[in-house]
Amino acid sequence: MAEYEDERGELPEESRQRARDFLALHDELTRARIRPVVPAVVLAQAWRGGPQHQISRVLMGCDIIPDDERTARAGGIACGASGTADAVDAIVVATAVQYQASVVTSDPNDLTHLADSIGVKLRLFTV
């Protein structure tokens, strides 16, 4: 989901609130000594434009999971079954299934569609 700045270079209030909600959830997880997993392809998508302070801060408390052939094939199967072409979302679903992990997202519809198409249920946290 693209975020667009206003004429002053600021994000809309809704986007700022989602960022605050996400950071609060991340801080809660790290206090509980839970290390979220992040597929490498998600990092690539989020890192567009170069280093970003907030993303770097969050990643210090995460494990970056390399995308491998097994995950790529599972993602491809999910794309085919769902009739979508978003490989990043498909990798997120495949990684969540593989690690039995919950998913944090600002747009759960595409992930739910992918998961439903391969007969799995995801635990989603929407921020």
Side-chain angles (χ1 to χ4, degrees):
M1 175 181 218
E3 302 290 350
Y4 297 98
E5 298 174 344
D6 66 14
E7 62 278 354
R8 294 175 308 210
E10 296 179 3
L11 293 175
E13 177 57 32
E14 180 181 334
S15 296
R16 289 193 305 268
Q17 183 59 51
R18 278 199 317 264
R20 287 190 295 267
D21 291 346
F22 172 78
L23 290 172
L25 175 60
H26 180 73
D27 289 345
E28 185 177 326
L29 291 171
T30 55
R31 277 193 304 276
R33 298 181 191 263
I34 297 171
R35 288 185 62 87
V37 296
V38 178
V41 68
V42 171
L43 172 56
Q45 187 177 54
W47 205 257
R48 290 176 293 201
Q52 300 177 40
H53 172 73
Q54 289 287 32
I55 293 174
S56 295
R57 174 183 169 254
V58 167
L59 291 175
M60 286 190 294
C62 298
D63 291 330
I64 308 302
I65 305 300
D67 304 316
D68 59 15
E69 182 178 352
R70 175 183 173 195
T71 306
R73 288 177 186 265
I77 289 168
C79 281
S82 67
T84 63
D86 191 332
V88 173
D89 282 353
I91 294 293
V92 167
V93 170
T95 302
V97 170
Q98 182 179 355
Y99 287 87
Q100 299 179 358
S102 299
V103 177
V104 178
T105 181
S106 62
D107 185 12
N109 295 334
D110 292 341
L111 298 175
T112 300
H113 176 68
L114 280 157
D116 288 348
S117 72
I118 57 171
V120 299
K121 294 294 180 202
L122 293 179
R123 292 171 297 195
L124 296 174
F125 290 91
T126 303
V127 294

